[in-house]
Amino acid sequence: MNQDNEKQKKKLAKKEWLRYARKPNPAEDHPYRDAFSRRAIKGLQYVRDEEDARQSLQRLESRVEQRVNAKKTTPRLASFLIKVAAAVLLLLIPFSIVWYDARPVSSQTAFERHFYPVTSNIPQSGPLREGAAEAETDLLRQAILDYENDSFASANEKFVQYLQTAPADIDVRFYYGVSLLAEGRATAAINQLKQVRRQSSVAPYRIPAQWYLGLAHLKLGQQAEAIAQLKPLANQTKSTHYREKAEALLLDIN
Amino acid sequence: MNLKSLSSRKAFKEQSDEELIAFYRRKRNPRIIGVLFNRYSHKVLGNCLSMLKNKPDAEDAAMEIFENLLNKLDHYEVKNFEAWLYKVTRNHCLKLLRDKIDVHREDIAEINPDTFVELESGSDHYIEERLEELSDAIDNLKKEDQRHCIVLFYLEQKSYQEIAQENGYSLNEVKSHIQNGRRNLRNSLN
């Protein structure tokens, strides 16, 4: 009893949270009373086991670490030393370019180097979809305009609305997937692009969808999954635009 | 507080939440918020999992929450960081949950008319309560298959066909799990 009271006062530590993932019904058997801890334990029913929870947490913390290091501020002395080092490096660049190009880069760097949203081939004027209501046509036209103007968040709102009325429109779903990725919503993009790839075994979007799926996995730091998507593209017998792109990307990360 | 003593990561770890926030406001160094966030990353992730019910969405949401902290801590006076972080996490997840569930608002009307009314009216306060009730009711579904199919259908927007193909159910089993799950949700919410 005293132990329970102690736990109620004690904060839910990481190790303990992970330990609850071993239990079949983690939410039913714990002494924590605060809502933050209770719900955190409840969430463990959506992981397979302790190891799965640990990996998920590590992925999150390494993303935080990457983000934090990307924006690191430097004190004056460090800043001065960096400038000196940069000058020295500048002198060395001609000698190091060949060596550097052959070095593998991080998933995030590879993503930034290789991702750009494909230009839409859906016409912006005229009847976009046969039989579509005027409101839908207008909505789609606005979505494509936003997409072309790099206003991806706004485009995505409109794509969602449009796809509610035309869920089978595979062309639009493809651009929605790319647009989500451009907005940084890689998981949502994977959802959409998987649907496109599944539904277009022979249609023109199968290969592009696979390319962007590979990029979306890279964005999430899931390099193995990205390679699984990109390798088949690089191994195509026919020389295509996407084969070249996949080969270049795989060279960067391998 | 001695600012020099905070120049190493080890020193960060010895500071209270509130000291770190004050230090961040002066130095604008995101590393400080990284240390602060990682004290509670398991709780944020666990809460996101509980609301969104799948790992990739939960990890993305937790990362978005961290990004938002960098700006929010500039503008909000935070007295109890952990309590405030819970509120920020809850609000962010509810917003994402609302977007996901919105697609199925007609079905939601059948499960729980109150939630549907709030979705239609757009009243933020009540919709949050209703969504949290709905999320909890899904968590509490006793049968694993029903919960799994309900999550895939309502939150991950999978079709019956996709759920069957990807999870080894027959189409009839998927229909039955969703139908029974929906009935159980209705019973627990009304």
Side-chain angles (χ1 to χ4, degrees), chain B residues 82-180:
Chain B
E82 187 177 357
W84 180 78
L85 181 62
Y86 169 59
K87 210 166 79 180
V88 168
T89 303
R90 179 179 173 273
N91 289 346
H92 189 75
C93 289
L94 284 172
K95 185 177 161 291
L96 296 175
L97 192 61
R98 181 179 180 164
D99 290 347
K100 282 178 166 215
I101 276 180
D102 227 19
V103 179
H104 289 290
R105 58 170 68 191
E106 300 299 330
D107 287 333
I108 300 293
E110 195 208 320
I111 294 171
N112 184 241
D114 287 350
T115 308
F116 174 72
V117 168
E118 304 303 349
L119 275 168
E120 287 289 295
S121 72
S123 150
D124 284 344
H125 176 66
Y126 293 109
I127 187 67
E128 281 174 7
E129 280 182 15
R130 299 292 178 206
L131 282 174
E132 206 163 18
E133 283 168 9
L134 182 63
S135 168
D136 287 344
I138 294 173
D139 289 346
N140 293 337
L141 281 174
K142 294 242 176 332
K143 300 232 162 106
E144 170 76 32
D145 288 331
Q146 285 177 15
R147 187 170 63 230
H148 193 46
C149 290
I150 289 278
V151 167
L152 291 173
F153 182 71
Y154 285 108
L155 300 187
E156 298 186 24
Q157 272 86 50
K158 304 256 185 190
S159 65
Y160 284 8
Q161 193 74 40
E162 286 169 333
I163 297 171
Q165 277 170 2
E166 291 169 18
N167 297 277
Y169 297 118
S170 70
L171 204 56
N172 279 342
E173 281 173 328
V174 173
K175 283 180 189 168
S176 152
H177 290 323
I178 291 178
Q179 207 170 21
N180 293 335

Side-chain angles (χ1 to χ4, degrees), chain A residues 135-152:
Chain A
E136 283 169 45
T137 309
D138 198 44
L139 185 65
L140 181 56
R141 186 176 293 124
Q142 285 301 322
I144 296 292
L145 270 175
D146 284 344
Y147 175 91
E148 295 292 1
N149 289 327
D150 292 352
S151 302
F152 298 111

Side-chain angles (χ1 to χ4, degrees), chain A residues 88-104:
Chain A
V88 173
L89 280 175
L90 212 58
L91 294 170
L92 291 174
I93 278 174
F95 304 103
S96 58
I97 280 176
V98 176
W99 171 80
Y100 180 78
D101 272 350
R103 302 276 300 163

Side-chain angles (χ1 to χ4, degrees), chain A residues 114-130:
Chain A
H114 293 269
F115 173 75
Y116 61 87
V118 63
T119 311
S120 153
N121 69 359
I122 300 181
Q124 286 174 21
S125 57
L128 294 174
R129 289 288 179 271
E130 216 171 296

Side-chain angles (χ1 to χ4, degrees), chain A residues 192-210:
Chain A
Q192 298 302 322
L193 292 167
K194 273 189 178 165
Q195 288 184 49
V196 174
R197 203 190 45 185
R198 256 199 311 275
Q199 288 169 38
S200 46
S201 53
V202 288
Y205 290 113
R206 187 176 63 82
I207 287 176
Q210 190 153 347

